[in-house]
């Protein structure tokens, strides 16, 4: 075995010194960017563990590696769509032209220095994340590549590999090796060898930078010693000749490499040294005949992970054009995973990339693979048994086609799309951090090697198509940096450090964005963070220091950029955009010292800035987030808002401040002058621990007008309300307007406030002042609320001796003030006694109140001499009784007084207590406000359980006694009550209702279902006599509604009802009943007689106007008679029909005959129109010759007087002509349609199909190559092509009526189509059936082959034609002419119409012509696309 030399691992740099100096001028680098080093995963676990979203990886493990079949058939349940924040992110024209730094998309004016001064609107991801990547040109290497091409004919660069050294391969077979200073260290190979071997197509450097492998376009491989520059091996027989090397890769084992050629094969190369002779053994891992591999990626472990258990397997990922394979090369060759692609663009490039990531505190390799616009992540783990498990992670959906994927660290990936745009993406959140245009690189593509042009282009079309976008050898990553090989240059991209990202934003004058980005670093929420290490507190301290520097710079800039002259509003607007940012970040960083000292002093230089600063503090003070403001700032805040006349804000601020450090007297004075009562009370309470003074001040304002009986102003009402709330707070131990009184002060404050309230006289009382002024004032101001305050206070009292004394004392005072004074209204007095009743009703009551006082209140409330406020006094007394005051009264006296005062609610309350429910009905009926509620009350008593039978009986008896009142009140409700509870006593109720009108209303409500009572009519035991009684009443009181009512009414006898209607001479009703009875002729005679009498009236009257009501009556009667004849003609024979229609016709024509001699008849036009209507209606039931014969037999017309009916006969002939013309036109149109349809049908059946591809969509083999069996090719109209053998294996055939029908496998499986339905109308276009399938043999079959026999010519359409015919049918909307033709053909039963039976679908086929919406669409047929 050969021992590869171990060179020392020197940290090496890519940048030439000139480039380094230039970069360092432009950027304050925290770490030397010339060093390549991996991010330490242990550190990452230590301080970035909180960023790992475990849910993302919480996917069940796969016990055994899946098979290709199982993966293809599994349902993908992870189809959550991934939409990037802003798919339209385009150019940001802010680039630093000094350093080739294209932090974002390079634009046409990128070299324009004045461009930096322009204010640009930044896209979201830039303002959120700043510039994440730095893009730099390696000038030294780029210059020497160009020089080598010119001086030694090295040719253009073709491949790059990066480790501690940089190797660049050229098109003339040279390999240029550069060191960390961009100096050319070695030039390997020669142009003569290049002429023999072709261009360098792939490069690989081993782990310790001692060996370089070069693959060539003509298939040779060379190995070089990078220390000495010697050629160690020249390998020409490692793989089949005539194929280019696409990839050559060292594994972690320096004696093992992998190569991939343009034939799609993969070979393992083992390097040995036996007896001083270097040899190379080759082993085929994957043959291109089984599917072409175009991308390979061995798993490389970092030096600190070389003992990871997974490294012993020497894993290799391979991507063919159809699937991904992961295999282990050691200890023996084994396939660990197969993963097929979904459907994708065949020109997209397969990509693979490994990286070690930390998941669940374990470091394991993750494989990213993608093709097209979806990136899949696979986590690879080794379990205790030694088996490898692969689990799918959350995949990434993109909106662009990828040509390169690179891990820059375990959380950040860099994607290159086919438009040469780089996308930096955070893997866990799938957020796009930045987009960079790299078209200026002029990236080198490997297309010529994929097409194997150097060896004659002997590759498959599929591989050549993928090669169009292949750039595998032009992009190399090492140590968190990515190198891009251009046609004349090499560029490097790396993540900026956090400090650099912030500085980059500062350079572009984006201070707000810089602060936001720095804060995201401070909070640990930023993405792609580089350069922050240590524990969280240390990282926060470092970032906070930088933020403070930016804030000072921001403040200076705010002052500097302020417009010197102009409107004050412009200056305010300027500072309002900037000062709040300073305040916010100082408070976020918890640097109040900085905010109120240096920042405030700095901003105070400008008075406008100072004002804006003070206004910014308001929301923080109001939300209590800004404790510890300095006295000076506090004073300035109050003065500033006072100057701006924002007194509401001043009050709100004062009550949230610690005002002990201010001049309290001055603040109190300011509050009182500006009516800031909340603030004044707060200052007294907090500043001086004084709780009584603010009450005295407020009482002085509201007491005089109240005592004088004046109405208070709005301002005084506000003060009174505040006073009540303040007293309530003090007595409850709460501070006003917010917070709590200190616990040690609570008892003292309560006592002080009570003592104050019950003072006999105020401090500066006049001799006229009444006693207890404060209680009196509050009772006058709002009795109910003041008593509520006292009630709440009594709740809180402990039952100690002092509390009991206070309670009794205040009650005595209340009684003394209110009862001995006539100033208070009944409501106010009632409120007091309700309050007392509630207190006395408590189980632990200790109060004493004289009962005579309650009697006085009762007298006062029930006084009959005072009619005013009747409902108010009743309500007050009711509240008093409900609060427990009932025990204070003698009940019989109370009821007497309530009845006398007409307090029916009080009576109800008392009767309810005594269960005298029947008496409550009287209360409802006498109370005009509540009389309609009596029905619900009776219903509740009778239906709700809990009442005795006697109680229910007494209630019902009372209801029966008052039934006339109830019916007159609401007939519906009364009927519903009777029907619900006492349906068997309906006749009794009817007897009690003597008034006929009331009886009519009651019966109509009971019997007419349109009245809407909620009772099942069928369950009511109503005799026909009652129904007929109702009909008779209906005939009396509402004759016009009788017919409508009879149509909905049930339970009446026809004979008796007919007698009733005849009695009241209601002819239409009688006719309706006779028709219902079945006596059609009798009904007709009544209607005819009525019509004749009205016609006679019409002829005898002199008027001849259009608006004649009699003429309207004739028209209505005629139409009713026609309707009667039409309704019943269907069920009569010809003779019976004539007995109806001819007398009607005669009746209509008689007046015209009579009036013919007396000049022009009256209303002749109207009568002729009506006669025509009769004739048209007759024509449907009586043959036309019979009508004409009947007319001609008439003695009047039989003698030659046909002139009068000439119009009628000509009208009938016109109708006949119209119908004949319509029928001929329809027949002609249908014949044309048939011809057009059959032409299209024939053309569509005979049309050839054009397949989209030349390979089978199942086995993916070209149909030409498949020679092992005489197989047929099946092409579908959707463009998919299959071998019939493959389709049969997938069970895509169905036998229907002895014919084989094929289904397209891809279309049916992608649309979850199940087994083929036999109904041809259900078959989807483009999926199925022989009409869309062409079968052709891949080897010419014999003439007798049944597969190509012509179908026998039969008149019946075969299934293909039926299917095409169905498609034609679906071109129409509504009833197509083809559908009409189909039905006509069925109706005629002719054999020649049989082909159209296939268009019927649905189990029950109804006639189109019977459809009420049927319309004949006279439009040309639609044109189908060829």
């Amino acid at each position: 075995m050969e021992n590869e030399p171990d060179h020392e691992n020197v940290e090496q740099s890519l940048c030439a010194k000139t480039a380094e100096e230039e970069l360092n001028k432009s950027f304050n680098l925290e770490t030397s960017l010339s060093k390549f080093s991996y991010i330490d995963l242990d550190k990452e676990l230590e301080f970035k563990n909180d960023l790992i979203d475990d849910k993302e990886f919480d996917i069940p493990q796969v016990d055994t590696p899946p098979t290709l079949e199982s993966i293809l058939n599994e349902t993908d349940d992870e189809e959550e769509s991934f939409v990037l924040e802003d798919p339209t992110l385009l150019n940001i024209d802010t680039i630093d032209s000094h350093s080739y730094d294209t932090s974002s998309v390079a634009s046409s004016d990128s070299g324009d220095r004045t461009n930096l001064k322009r204010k640009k609107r930044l896209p979201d991801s830039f303002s959120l994340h700043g510039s994440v990547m730095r893009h730099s040109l390696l000038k030294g290497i780029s210059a020497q590549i160009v020089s080598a091409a010119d001086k030694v004919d090295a040719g253009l660069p073709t491949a790059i590999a990066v480790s501690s050294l940089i190797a660049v391969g050229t098109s003339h077979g040279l390999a240029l090796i550069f060191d960390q200073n961009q100096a050319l260290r070695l030039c390997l190979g020669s142009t003569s060898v290049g002429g023999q071997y072709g261009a360098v197509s792939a490069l690989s450097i081993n782990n310790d930078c001692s060996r370089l492998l070069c693959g060539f376009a003509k298939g040779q491989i060379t190995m070089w010693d990078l220390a000495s520059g010697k050629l160690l091996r020249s390998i020409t027989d490692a793989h089949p000749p005539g194929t280019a090397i696409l990839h050559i890769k060292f594994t972690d084992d320096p004696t093992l490499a992998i190569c991939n050629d343009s034939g799609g094969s993969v070979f393992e190369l083992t390097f040995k040294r036996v007896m001083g002779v270097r040899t190379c053994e080759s082993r085929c891992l994957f043959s291109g005949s089984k599917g072409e591999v175009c991308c390979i990626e061995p798993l490389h472990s970092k030096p600190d992970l070389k003992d990871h258990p997974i490294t012993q397997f020497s894993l290799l990922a391979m991507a063919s054009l159809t699937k991904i394979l992961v295999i282990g090369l050691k200890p023996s060759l084994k396939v660990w995973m197969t993963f097929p692609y979904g459907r994708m663009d065949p020109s997209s490039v397969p990509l693979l990339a490994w990286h070690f990531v930390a998941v669940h505190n374990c470091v394991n390799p993750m494989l990213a693979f993608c093709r097209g616009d979806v990136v899949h992540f696979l986590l690879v783990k080794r379990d205790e048994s030694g088996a490898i498990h692969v689990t799918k992670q959350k995949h990434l959906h993109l909106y662009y086609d990828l040509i390169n994927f690179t891990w820059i660290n375990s959380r950040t990936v860099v994607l290159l799309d086919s438009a040469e745009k780089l996308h930096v993406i955070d893997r866990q959140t799938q957020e796009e951090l930045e987009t960079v245009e790299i078209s200026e690189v002029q990236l080198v593509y490997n297309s010529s090697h994929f097409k194997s042009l150097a060896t004659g282009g002997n590759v498959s079309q599929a591989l050549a198509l993928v090669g169009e976008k292949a750039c595998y050898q032009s992009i190399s990553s090492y140590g968190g940096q990515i190198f891009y090989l251009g046609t004349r240059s090499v560029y490097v991209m790396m993540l900026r450090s956090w400090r650099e990202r912030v500085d980059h934003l500062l350079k572009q004058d984006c201070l707000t964005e810089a602060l936001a980005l720095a804060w995201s670093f401070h909070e640990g929420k930023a993405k792609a963070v580089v350069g922050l290490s240590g524990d969280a507190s240390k990282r926060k301290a470092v970032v906070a220091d930088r933020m403070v520097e930016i804030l000072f710079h921001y403040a200076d800039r705010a002052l500097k950029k302020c417009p010197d002259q102009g409107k004050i509003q412009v200056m305010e607007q300027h500072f309002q955009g900037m000062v709040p940012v300073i305040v916010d970040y100082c408070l976020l960083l918890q640097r109040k010292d900085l905010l109120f000292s240096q920042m405030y002093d700095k901003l105070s230089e400008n008075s406008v800035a100072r004002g804006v600063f003070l206004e910014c503090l308001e929301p923080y003070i109001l939300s209590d987030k800004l404790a510890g403001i300095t006295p000076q700032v506090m004073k300035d805040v109050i003065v500033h808002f006072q100057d701006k006349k924002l007194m509401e804000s001043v009050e709100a601020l004062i009550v949230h401040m610690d005002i002990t450090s201010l001049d309290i007297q001055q603040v109190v004075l300011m509050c009182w002058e500006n009516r800031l009562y909340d603030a004044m009370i707060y200052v007294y309470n907090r500043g001086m621990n004084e709780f009584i003074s603010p009450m005295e001040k407020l009482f002085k304002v509201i007491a005089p007008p109240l005592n004088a009986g004046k109405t208070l102003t709005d301002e005084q009402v506000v003060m009174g309300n505040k006073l009540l709330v303040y007293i309530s707070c003090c007595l409850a131990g709460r501070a006003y307007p917010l917070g709590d009184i200190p616990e040690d002060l609570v008892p003292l404050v309560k006592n002080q406030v009570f003592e104050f309230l019950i003072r006999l006289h105020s401090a500066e009382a006049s001799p006229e002042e009444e006693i207890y002024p404060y209680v009196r004032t509050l009772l006058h101001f709002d009795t109910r609320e003041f008593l509520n305050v006292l009630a709440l206070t009594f709740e809180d009292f402990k039952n100690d001796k002092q509390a009991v004394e206070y309670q009794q004392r205040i009650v005595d005072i209340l009684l003394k003030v209110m009862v001995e004074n006539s100033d208070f209204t009944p409501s106010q007095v009632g409120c007091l006694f309700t309050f007392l009743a509630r207190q006395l009703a408590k189980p632990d009551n200790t109060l004493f109140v004289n009962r005579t006082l309650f009697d006085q209140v009762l007298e006062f409330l029930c006084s009959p001499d005072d009619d005013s406020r009747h409902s108010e006094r009743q309500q007050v007394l009711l509240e008093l009784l409900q609060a427990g005051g009932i025990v204070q009264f003698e009940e019989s006296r109370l009821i007497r007084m309530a009845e006398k005062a007409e307090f029916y609610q009080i009576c109800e309350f008392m009767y309810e207590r005594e269960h005298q429910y029947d008496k409550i009905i009287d209360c409802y009926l006498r109370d005009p406000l509540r009389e309609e509620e009596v029905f619900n009350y009776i219903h509740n008593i009778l239906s709700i359980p809990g009442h005795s039978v006697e109680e229910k009986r007494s209630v019902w008896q009372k209801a029966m006694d008052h039934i006339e009142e109830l019916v007159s009140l609401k007939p519906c409700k009364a009927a519903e009550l009777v029907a619900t509870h006492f349906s068997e006593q309906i006749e009794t109720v009817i007897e009690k209702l003597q008034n006929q009108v009331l009886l009519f209303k009651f019966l109509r409500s009971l019997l007419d279902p349109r009245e809407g009572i909620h009772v099942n009519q069928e369950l009511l035991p109503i005799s026909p006599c009652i129904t007929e009684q109702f009909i008779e009443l209906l005939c009396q009181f509402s004759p016009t509604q009788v017919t409508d009512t009879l149509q909905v009414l049930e339970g009446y006898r026809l004979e008796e009802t007919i007698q009733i209607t005849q009695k009241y001479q209601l002819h239409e009703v009688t006719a309706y009943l006779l028709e219902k009875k079945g006596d059609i002729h009798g009904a007709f005679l009544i209607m005819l007689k009525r019509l004749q009498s009205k016609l006679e009236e019409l002829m005898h009257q002199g008027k001849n106007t259009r608006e004649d009501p009699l003429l309207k009556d004739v028209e209505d009667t005629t139409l009713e008679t026609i309707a009667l004849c039409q309704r019943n003609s269907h069920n009569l024979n010809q003779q019976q029909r004539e007995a109806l229609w001819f007398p009607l016709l005669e009746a209509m024509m008689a007046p015209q005959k009579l009036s013919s001699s007396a000049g022009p008849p009256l209303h002749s036009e109207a009568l002729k129109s009506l006669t025509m209507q009769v004739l048209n209606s007759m024509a449907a039931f009586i043959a036309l010759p019979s009508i004409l014969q009947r007319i001609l037999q008439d003695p009047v017309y039989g003698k030659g007087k046909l002139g009068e009916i000439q119009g009628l006969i000509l009208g009938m002939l016109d109708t006949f002509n119209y119908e004949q013309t319509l029928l001929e036109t329809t027949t002609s149109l249908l014949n044309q349609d048939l011809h057009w349809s059959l032409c299209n049908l024939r053309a569509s059946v005979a049309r050839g199909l054009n397949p989209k591809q030349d390979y089978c969509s199942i086995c993916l083999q070209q149909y030409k190559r498949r020679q092992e069996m005489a197989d047929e090719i099946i092409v579908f109209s959707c463009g998919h092509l299959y071998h019939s053998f493959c389709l049969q294996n997938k069970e895509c055939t169905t036998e229907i009526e002895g014919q084989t029908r094929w289904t397209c496998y891809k279309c049916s499986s992608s649309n979850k189509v199940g087994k083929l339905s036999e109904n041809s109308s259900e078959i989807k276009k483009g999926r199925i059936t022989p009409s869309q399938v062409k079968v052709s043999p891949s080897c010419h079959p014999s003439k007798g082959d049944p597969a190509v026999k012509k179908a026998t010519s039969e008149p019946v359409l075969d299934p293909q034609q039926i299917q095409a015919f169905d498609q034609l049918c679906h071109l129409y909307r509504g009833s197509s002419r083809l559908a009409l033709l189909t039905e006509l053909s069925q109706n005629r039963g002719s054999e020649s119409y049989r082909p159209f039976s296939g268009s019927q679908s649905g189990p029950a086929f109804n006639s189109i012509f019977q459809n009420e919406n049927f319309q004949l669409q006279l439009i040309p047929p639609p044109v189908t696309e060829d």
Side-chain angles (χ1 to χ4, degrees), residues 149-205:
D150 294 341
K151 292 179 180 174
V152 298
D153 192 26
L156 294 173
T158 56
I160 187 169
V162 182
S163 183
S164 300
L165 300 173
I166 300 173
V168 178
T170 72
S171 59
H172 290 173
L174 299 182
L176 308 175
I177 312 299
F178 300 91
D179 65 9
Q180 69 269 34
N181 297 318
Q182 300 190 44
L184 181 62
R185 202 170 123 181
L186 293 169
C187 179
L188 306 176
S190 65
T191 51
S192 60
V193 175
Q196 182 186 347
Y197 288 0
V200 173
S201 59
L203 291 170
S204 179
I205 301 173

Side-chain angles (χ1 to χ4, degrees), residues 369-601:
F369 78 85
C370 43
R371 187 173 181 191
D373 58 359
V374 181
V375 182
H376 296 272
F377 295 100
L378 300 176
L379 189 67
V380 182
K381 294 180 184 175
R382 177 181 180 272
D383 64 11
E384 293 79 7
S385 66
I388 287 179
H389 292 280
V390 180
T391 49
K392 272 178 77 174
Q393 309 296 303
K394 189 176 181 183
H395 52 265
L396 176 64
H397 281 275
L398 306 166
Y399 58 92
Y400 39 80
D401 186 35
L402 291 183
I403 60 172
N404 180 260
F405 179 101
T406 311
W407 293 90
I408 202 158
N409 59 38
S410 62
R411 296 176 310 281
T412 315
V413 296
V414 178
L415 313 179
L416 178 64
D417 67 20
S418 52
E420 293 195 3
K421 275 187 188 168
L422 280 180
H423 304 265
V424 185
I425 290 181
D426 182 75
R427 179 180 60 82
Q428 286 163 320
T429 61
Q430 302 196 346
E431 185 181 355
E432 185 167 285
L433 309 180
E434 189 177 14
T435 309
V436 184
E437 176 79 60
I438 63 158
S439 53
E440 64 176 16
V441 172
Q442 295 181 331
L443 197 65
V444 171
Y445 286 87
N446 315 133
S447 309
S448 62
H449 311 317
F450 272 77
K451 295 176 181 177
S452 204
L453 298 182
T455 59
N458 53 341
V459 298
S460 71
Q461 291 180 13
L463 194 64
L465 189 59
V466 168
E468 292 290 345
K469 300 179 191 170
C471 56
Y472 295 109
Q473 304 303 325
S474 315
I475 300 170
S476 181
S477 66
Y478 180 76
Q481 296 171 315
I482 311 173
F483 297 81
Y484 295 90
L485 180 65
T487 51
R488 302 173 64 82
S489 57
V490 177
Y491 283 79
V492 63
M493 269 199 113
M494 62 202 84
L495 287 176
R496 296 175 185 271
S497 70
W498 73 272
R499 199 180 287 273
E500 198 180 335
R501 281 166 66 179
V502 172
D503 291 347
H504 182 76
L505 284 169
L506 292 175
K507 265 189 183 180
Q508 303 192 46
D509 226 15
C510 302
L511 272 73
T512 313
E513 288 84 356
L515 282 165
L517 182 61
W519 180 248
S520 71
F521 290 130
H522 185 276
E523 292 300 289
K525 292 179 180 175
K527 308 285 190 301
V529 184
V530 175
L532 269 180
S533 57
D535 60 9
S537 57
K538 184 180 173 187
R539 294 201 302 271
K540 285 191 174 188
V542 171
V543 177
D545 291 344
R546 182 70 184 122
M547 286 184 75
V548 169
E549 291 170 22
I550 299 170
L551 284 169
F552 277 117
H553 175 53
Y554 193 79
D556 291 336
R557 182 169 168 273
L559 293 167
K560 191 175 174 184
K561 296 256 179 162
C562 176
D564 296 333
Q565 39 194 307
K567 291 183 180 176
I568 194 84
Q569 287 92 335
V570 178
M571 294 174 73
E572 278 185 352
Q573 197 172 353
H574 167 74
F575 284 116
Q576 279 165 0
M578 302 190 80
V579 175
V581 177
I582 298 172
V583 175
D584 288 349
Y585 281 110
C586 283
L587 292 173
L588 282 172
L589 292 168
Q590 297 178 340
R591 292 294 303 272
K592 290 180 201 162
D593 56 329
L594 181 73
L595 182 67
F596 294 132
S597 54
Q598 292 154 285
M599 282 296 173
Y600 184 49
D601 295 344

Side-chain angles (χ1 to χ4, degrees), residues 922-1191:
D922 289 325
C923 296
Y924 275 105
L925 289 172
R926 288 183 204 160
D927 191 344
L929 297 174
R930 300 191 308 145
E931 58 184 4
E932 289 190 5
E933 294 173 27
V934 69
F935 299 104
N936 288 337
Y937 180 76
I938 296 171
H939 174 72
N940 290 342
I941 294 290
L942 295 174
S943 58
I944 294 173
H947 300 292
S948 68
V949 178
E950 291 76 17
E951 288 168 351
K952 289 185 178 184
R953 191 178 293 116
S954 65
V955 166
W956 176 246
Q957 197 54 51
K958 177 67 78 171
M960 291 297 282
D961 293 344
H962 292 284
I963 192 70
E964 289 207 346
E965 284 179 66
L966 292 172
V967 171
S968 61
L969 193 60
K970 267 207 166 180
C972 271
K973 291 277 187 185
E976 197 170 329
L977 203 60
V978 171
T980 306
H981 296 289
F982 292 94
S983 54
E984 65 278 358
Q985 295 189 29
I986 289 173
E987 292 184 10
T988 317
V989 174
I990 291 170
E991 286 170 17
K992 279 184 175 288
L993 290 169
Q994 296 301 317
N995 185 324
Q996 291 294 296
V997 178
L998 284 181
L999 179 59
F1000 168 59
K1001 287 180 179 177
F1002 173 75
L1003 287 175
R1004 181 163 64 180
S1005 299
L1006 189 68
L1007 298 174
D1008 192 340
R1010 295 171 303 176
E1011 292 294 308
I1013 70 164
H1014 306 292
V1015 175
N1016 190 344
Q1017 299 280 350
E1018 295 173 5
L1019 301 179
L1020 284 178
I1022 295 172
S1023 67
C1025 302
I1026 295 176
T1027 312
E1028 286 151 18
Q1029 186 180 0
F1030 164 57
I1031 292 169
E1032 188 163 356
L1033 291 168
L1034 191 65
C1035 291
Q1036 287 179 47
F1037 297 111
S1038 187
T1040 56
Q1041 294 180 1
V1042 178
T1043 310
D1044 293 340
T1045 308
L1046 286 174
Q1047 286 172 355
V1048 296
L1049 210 58
E1050 294 175 0
Y1052 57 86
R1053 294 167 298 186
L1054 284 170
E1055 290 296 341
E1056 284 76 0
T1057 312
I1058 289 169
Q1059 288 173 14
I1060 294 169
T1061 55
Q1062 284 173 343
K1063 175 182 168 185
Y1064 290 97
Q1065 295 187 343
L1066 299 175
H1067 301 300
E1068 293 98 329
V1069 184
T1070 310
Y1072 166 76
L1073 290 167
L1074 285 170
E1075 184 185 354
K1076 191 171 180 181
K1077 181 182 169 187
D1079 184 1
I1080 310 300
H1081 200 68
F1084 172 72
L1085 288 176
I1086 289 175
M1087 293 299 289
L1088 186 65
K1089 190 175 176 183
R1090 187 159 171 268
L1091 177 63
Q1092 287 169 334
S1093 66
K1094 292 201 174 180
L1095 281 167
E1096 278 181 36
E1097 278 183 63
L1098 185 69
M1099 298 313 295
H1100 285 99
Q1101 74 159 14
K1103 285 187 194 174
N1104 188 6
T1105 61
R1106 284 191 171 187
E1107 300 300 323
D1108 188 353
L1110 200 54
L1111 179 62
K1112 181 79 175 71
D1113 212 8
V1114 168
E1115 284 178 5
D1116 292 345
T1117 310
T1118 308
L1119 293 176
E1120 283 174 24
T1121 314
I1122 290 172
L1124 172 70
C1125 296
Q1126 283 177 325
R1127 273 198 308 272
N1128 296 286
S1129 288
H1130 292 287
N1131 306 320
L1132 301 175
N1133 59 30
Q1134 189 65 26
Q1135 189 179 353
Q1136 290 169 326
R1137 288 180 189 176
E1138 290 178 1
L1140 290 184
W1141 286 104
F1142 285 134
L1144 176 60
L1145 181 63
E1146 179 61 35
M1148 289 306 300
M1149 293 178 71
Q1152 299 177 57
K1153 288 188 280 184
L1154 291 171
S1155 61
S1156 59
S1157 56
L1162 296 172
H1163 307 294
S1164 62
E1165 289 302 320
L1167 289 174
K1168 274 186 181 177
S1169 169
L1170 284 172
T1171 310
M1172 195 67 207
Q1173 211 163 338
V1174 172
L1175 278 168
N1176 284 338
S1177 303
M1178 283 174 75
F1181 302 103
I1182 295 174
L1184 191 60
S1186 302
I1187 300 173
L1188 285 171
Q1189 186 181 0
R1190 185 62 176 255
I1191 292 172

Side-chain angles (χ1 to χ4, degrees), residues 1211-1390:
M1212 290 161 67
L1213 291 172
D1214 274 352
T1215 304
F1216 170 76
N1217 286 332
Y1218 168 73
E1219 288 176 352
Q1220 184 182 16
T1221 309
L1222 183 64
L1223 190 61
E1224 287 171 357
T1225 309
T1226 306
T1227 309
S1228 169
L1229 283 169
L1230 289 170
N1231 287 335
Q1232 287 176 25
D1233 270 6
L1234 175 62
H1235 178 262
W1236 172 83
S1237 304
L1238 288 175
C1239 284
N1240 274 284
L1241 183 60
R1242 186 169 174 274
S1244 67
V1245 169
R1247 184 180 298 140
L1249 296 178
N1250 180 28
K1252 291 179 182 173
Q1253 74 267 351
D1254 59 355
Y1255 54 87
C1256 172
S1257 295
I1258 294 176
C1259 68
L1260 304 177
Q1261 293 292 319
Q1262 290 193 336
Y1263 67 87
K1264 297 174 188 173
R1265 291 189 179 182
R1266 187 145 176 162
Q1267 302 296 339
E1268 60 264 24
M1269 61 184 76
D1271 202 2
E1272 291 169 349
I1273 305 305
I1274 296 176
V1275 185
F1276 289 85
S1277 64
C1278 52
H1280 294 122
L1281 177 146
Y1282 303 93
H1283 296 109
S1284 62
F1285 183 72
C1286 297
L1287 271 186
Q1288 282 172 345
N1289 286 345
K1290 294 290 181 186
E1291 298 179 356
C1292 289
T1293 62
T1294 311
E1295 291 289 331
I1296 295 181
E1297 298 174 2
Q1299 292 197 5
T1300 303
R1301 305 183 78 175
W1302 301 92
T1303 315
C1304 177
Y1305 172 68
K1306 287 189 101 170
C1307 295
S1308 59
S1309 62
S1310 65
N1311 289 278
K1312 306 290 185 290
V1313 175
K1315 289 192 175 180
L1316 171 64
S1317 166
E1318 291 189 17
N1319 187 346
S1320 59
S1321 66
E1322 292 176 6
I1323 293 165
K1324 305 289 181 201
K1325 183 176 179 183
R1327 304 271 164 78
I1328 196 169
T1329 79
S1331 69
Q1332 302 153 315
V1333 179
K1334 301 289 178 190
V1335 179
S1336 61
S1338 54
C1339 300
H1340 295 291
S1342 63
K1343 289 184 180 178
D1345 193 321
V1348 282
K1349 278 186 183 174
K1350 297 276 177 102
T1352 55
S1353 55
E1354 292 179 8
V1356 182
L1357 291 182
D1358 63 18
Q1360 297 101 303
Q1361 292 166 317
I1362 292 172
Q1363 171 64 19
F1365 178 79
D1366 280 343
Q1367 288 176 18
L1368 290 172
C1369 288
H1370 292 154
L1371 293 170
Y1372 294 94
R1373 292 177 185 170
S1375 301
S1376 69
R1377 281 169 270 177
L1378 287 168
L1380 303 180
L1381 188 61
T1382 302
E1383 189 171 341
L1384 285 171
S1385 70
Q1386 287 175 341
N1387 291 343
R1388 294 167 74 171
S1390 171

